[in-house]
Every structure is written in C-alpha cells, then in structure tokens.
Amino acid sequence: MASISLNNLTKTFADGFTAVDNLNLDIKDGEFVVFVGPSGCGKTTTLRMIAGLESVSSGSITIGDREVNKVAPKDRDIAMVFQNYALYPHLSVEDNMGFALRMSKMPKDERTERVLEAAKMLGLEDILNKKPGQLSGGQRQRVALGRAVVRKPAVFLFDEPLSNLDPDRRASTRAEIRRIQRELGTTTVYVTHDHEEAMALGDQIVLLDEGVLQQAGPPGELFDQPANKFVGTFLGAPKMNILPAMIDRRGDRVIAQVDCGDSQLEILLDDSRVPASADHGDQVSIGIRPHCIVINEGGTESHASFQGRVSDLERLGFAVDLHIQVGPHTLLARVNGDCDLAVGDEATFSFDPNMAHVFVD
Ligand code: ADP
Ligand code: MG
C-alpha cells in the first residue's frame, strides 16, 4: 500500500515539447485516481513517469515515503495494465498470470496459490489451462488484469485498459476493475480519455489539458463546481451549453446579460456564483447543463426564462433532447420523455440561475 505524490512534475521531450507542465498532486493510500483529458494532454506520459518508463525532466515523484525519480521500474512495486495487453501466446492462462512471480523466483506452491486466488476473483478458474488464442477479448483483458493482481503491488497503473473492448464488455470490465480495487484496497492510477468512465471509476478525477492540470477532486465536485469552461464542457453528456454574456453589477445584484438578437436574456445571479474578478461590463461565459433547462409551465419567478424555437429534437425514450434556437444561440435541453413539442414549435423555457456557472474567459 502506498500514497503517491507528484511535485512540480514536468516532462519536456528531446524535441523541446512539454507534455506535462508543473503537475502537483497528492494521491492517498488506497485511492482510485483517474487521469482524464483529450488525446495528447499528457496522461500516458504522466503514468509512464510514475512507472519509471519515462524520465522526469524536473520535479519529483514520491511513492510511499520514498522519492522514486531514480528508482528502476522493477523496484517501484507497481503493476501496469495497458490497452495492448501482450499475453504470451504459447503459455496457458495460468502460466501467463504466474509469469512475473516465476521470474521473481517465488516457490511453485505459493505461486499456484496466488494465481488461483486471483483467478477466483476474476472468474478465470475454468480457463486456466487455455491459451490466449482460445479466449475472447474480454477474457484476455481479465487475464492481463490477473497478471497485475497476482503480484500484489503497492500501486496499480492502468492506461486505457478497456479501449479494445466492445461497449458491453467495457461496462462489465469497468465494474470488475472497480470491485477488485475495492477488495484489494490498492492505490490505483487509471488513465482514460472517456469522461463517463472517469466519473464512474474515480474517487478523485484529475483533468488535464495540454499538459496542465485543470482541476482535481471528487467527481461530484468537478461536475458541480467546474473550475473553468474547459472542465465544465469536458465532463457531462450532453455537453454543457455556453452562452456569452456581459456582467452588469447593480448594487448587490449581479445580472448576466445575454444578447439574443431581438431580445435580451437577463440572468439574475447570486453574488456567490460570480467570480470576484468579473467586473461590471466584463464579458463572461455562462454555462448551463442541458438537464437544467425546463419547459416553462407557469414558471417560477426566480427562474431565468426565454423564448425559443425548437430547431431539432432527438427522442431517447426516457428523455428528449431539444435543440432550441434563441436568436443567434442554439441551446440543448434534455427534458422529460413525455415532452410533446415538435420541430418548429415556439415555447418558453427557463432555468434556475443557481444552476448556472459563470466562467471568466
Ligand atoms: P495522452 O496519453 O494524454 O493521449 P501522451 O502523454 O501520450 O498523451 O502525449 C502527450 C503529448 O506528448 C502529445 O502531444 C504527444 O505527441 C507528445 N509526445 C509523446 N511522446 C513523445 C516523445 N517521445 N517525443 C515528443 N513528443 C512526445
Ligand atoms: Mg495515452
């Protein structure tokens, strides 16, 4: 078991490109941390530095109470699972799982016991004698997982381990990884570009963009209190709507004015939701999640309401996604499945200003 800390961690490659820029992060013992962000944001590079497969340009990595910058990968007490899990094709499942233990000269009895224990945990008992070529993709990925589990490392590192699986398998293997991590309590760093996977798995989510940390915290915190527009729009599906607005401070009231062509949308905001740096007259972005927009039936006075025309809609059964044209803006609203609006209909919509986010650009 081990905590991990990254201190001003930076990676600049030989060509001068900085892939990870001054990253600071504390990972608690037993925590499941997910690094997420668009392709190329530095997730794999960070993981490889923790694993010792990539050197650190500046800053430091601590695992437990030991700085590991100069420690060889094999001495870091970690086990990694990659997207491309290379199993030995000529070895049985049992021998694949026990391979690292054999290399470390663990006695055969103990090895067999460890492999059996992991096989039970992963539901692989019945296929221990099969060769990788005889297994499905999901089974192979479970064997790769088993290979990491048998080693009982202090830290698991996962790099997009589910990307090669079909969606059904991905969901069930994801649940399995989470269950095993809970059972074992092993500190885990997991990399994915998939925001839903990140939200579902992580105790802590670390969102990166272009090598720079955007926000780290529990999933609910990033979802409810996104630190900036990037975090707001990256997490959550459908995506958060973004409207350009101007800040109008009138005494202790703050109003965000949205220019909608023929009309103005005025959003009366609680002072606590507006960053202090947003001065009177400043341009900001207002973020509204699609599920926060409702069709106005009589309406609530405190709500911000606007007229819009349905330009498109998608029926999902449990919900309907409405594309609403408001002057030059298109907003997406996810409303109840029984909504009977049709394309071309005009309607009044509203949202609770306390659900709106204000981002200083
Ligand atoms: P992610 O895993 O988030 O998709 P990576 O960590 O693999 O991203 O890569 C981050 C950035 O660093 C990318 O722009 C990538 O092209 C660049 N990069 C990765 N490896 C090297 C390298 N050896 N030399 C130069 N640039 C690299
Ligand atoms: Mg990657």
Side-chain angles (χ1 to χ4, degrees), residues 255-315:
I255 295 161
Q257 304 261 16
V258 182
D259 183 359
C260 298
D262 296 341
S263 63
Q264 284 267 329
L265 167 58
E266 294 205 333
I267 309 167
L268 179 58
L269 294 161
D270 196 272
D271 206 14
S272 65
R273 295 196 76 79
V274 185
S277 62
D279 288 329
H280 181 79
D282 279 0
Q283 285 293 329
V284 296
S285 294
I286 302 293
I288 308 154
R289 293 202 186 274
H291 70 267
C292 296
I293 299 176
V294 295
I295 301 165
N296 216 7
E297 295 139 341
T300 318
E301 240 178 57
S302 63
H303 277 210
S305 69
F306 59 92
Q307 284 278 325
R309 193 180 71 83
V310 177
S311 58
D312 195 6
L313 62 78
E314 291 156 58
R315 296 200 177 274

Side-chain angles (χ1 to χ4, degrees), residues 11 187 274:
K11 176 69 190 186
T187 311
V274 185

Side-chain angles (χ1 to χ4, degrees), residues 101-119:
L101 305 181
R102 205 172 88 205
M103 290 295 106
S104 70
K105 309 237 169 6
M106 182 182 280
K108 184 157 193 318
D109 287 355
E110 199 180 339
R111 220 161 67 207
T112 309
E113 196 176 309
R114 284 260 194 116
V115 169
L116 268 179
E117 192 187 357

Side-chain angles (χ1 to χ4, degrees), residues 13-15 17-20 37-46 54 159-160 191:
F13 284 109
D15 62 1
F17 182 78
T18 298
V20 178
S39 177
C41 71
K43 305 179 294 293
T44 294
T45 305
T46 307
E54 200 73 76
D159 193 353
E160 312 244 8
V191 161

Side-chain angles (χ1 to χ4, degrees), residues 29-33 121 156 158 175-188 201 203:
D29 182 26
E31 200 171 22
F32 196 129
V33 170
M121 187 176 263
F156 285 133
F158 291 98
E176 210 149 314
I177 289 176
R178 184 69 240 203
R179 176 180 63 79
I180 287 163
Q181 196 273 344
R182 274 205 195 102
E183 264 171 46
L184 299 173
T186 308
T187 311
T188 298
L201 283 171
D203 296 321

